[in-house]
Amino acid sequence: MTQRYITNNANETMSVGKELATSLGVCTVAFYGDLGAGKTTFVRGMCEGLGYNGDVSSPTFAIVNEYHGGRLPLYHFDLYRIESFDDLYACGFYDYYDADEGILAIEWSENLAEALPNDAVVVRISYGETDQQRVIEVSREE
Ligand code: ADP
Ligand code: MG
C-alpha cells in the first residue's frame, strides 16, 4: 500500500510523520530524499507521535540518535557517511537491528542497500512545485 501526501510547510510534514508513528510497531522506516527534502523533519514528527518530548536533530555526525520515553524507542540513523558494510557494523547498526525493540528511522537508506529488511516501511520525499512544497510517499506491506 502506498499513501501519497503533498505538504506545504515543515509542520505539515511533521504531521504526516506523527500520524504514521501512531500506527507503527517495532519496524524499520527507510527514508529516501535529497538533502533538505524533510527527512529529519518527518522523523521529528514521528517522535512527537510516539509521545517523546524533546529536541530531535540530525544525527549526521553521531550517525545515530536515540529517543526514549515515548510509546516505543526510536533510533534515528543518518547513513550519509556510511560507505561499506564495515562502516555499518562499526556504527552499531546491527546491534540495534538485532535488538528488535524499537523503530529504526534511517536517513540515506541508499547506503544500506541489500541490508535493508524486506518489510521496511519506505518513505520517499521529493520537492514539489514551490519552495515549501514536498511530495511524500509512504509505502508499507499490508
Ligand atoms: P533532510 O533531513 O531531508 O536533509 P530537513 O528535515 O533537515 O531535511 O530539512 C528540511 C528543511 O526544509 C527545513 O529547513 C524545513 O523547514 C524546510 N521545509 C520547507 N518546507 C517543508 C516541507 N513541506 N516539509 C519539510 N520541510 C520543509
Ligand atoms: Mg536529515
Side-chain angles (χ1 to χ4, degrees):
M1 168 181 70
T2 299
Q3 285 162 296
R4 192 164 178 275
Y5 306 84
I6 294 183
T7 66
N8 290 297
N9 56 57
N11 279 337
E12 288 181 12
T13 294
M14 279 182 64
S15 297
V16 177
K18 187 173 172 180
E19 181 194 310
L20 176 66
T22 59
S23 74
L24 295 177
V26 171
C27 68
T28 299
V29 183
F31 288 87
Y32 297 89
D34 290 340
L35 199 67
K39 303 178 295 297
T40 297
T41 301
F42 191 103
V43 173
R44 192 170 288 131
M46 288 177 67
C47 287
E48 194 184 318
L50 293 170
Y52 170 80
N53 303 304
D55 289 342
V56 174
S57 60
S58 173
T60 302
F61 297 101
I63 308 289
V64 58
N65 286 341
E66 303 192 3
Y67 300 107
H68 296 277
R71 182 174 62 81
L72 285 170
L74 186 146
Y75 303 105
H76 183 193
F77 283 83
D78 186 328
L79 301 184
Y80 189 68
R81 282 155 209 282
I82 298 293
E83 291 176 347
S84 66
F85 277 107
D86 286 348
D87 289 351
L88 205 52
Y89 276 111
C91 78
F93 174 79
Y94 288 103
D95 299 331
Y96 290 93
Y97 185 74
D98 291 340
D100 200 31
E101 45 93 28
I103 295 175
L104 304 189
I106 304 174
E107 298 191 34
W108 298 102
S109 292
E110 290 89 338
N111 292 343
L112 258 185
E114 302 86 52
L116 195 67
N118 290 328
D119 60 353
V121 177
V122 173
V123 177
R124 290 180 195 279
I125 309 181
S126 51
Y127 289 92
E129 290 170 357
T130 65
D131 277 359
Q132 298 237 98
Q133 193 174 85
R134 302 291 189 272
V135 180
I136 305 175
E137 283 183 348
V138 180
S139 305
R140 55 201 294 198
E141 286 186 345
E142 254 189 307

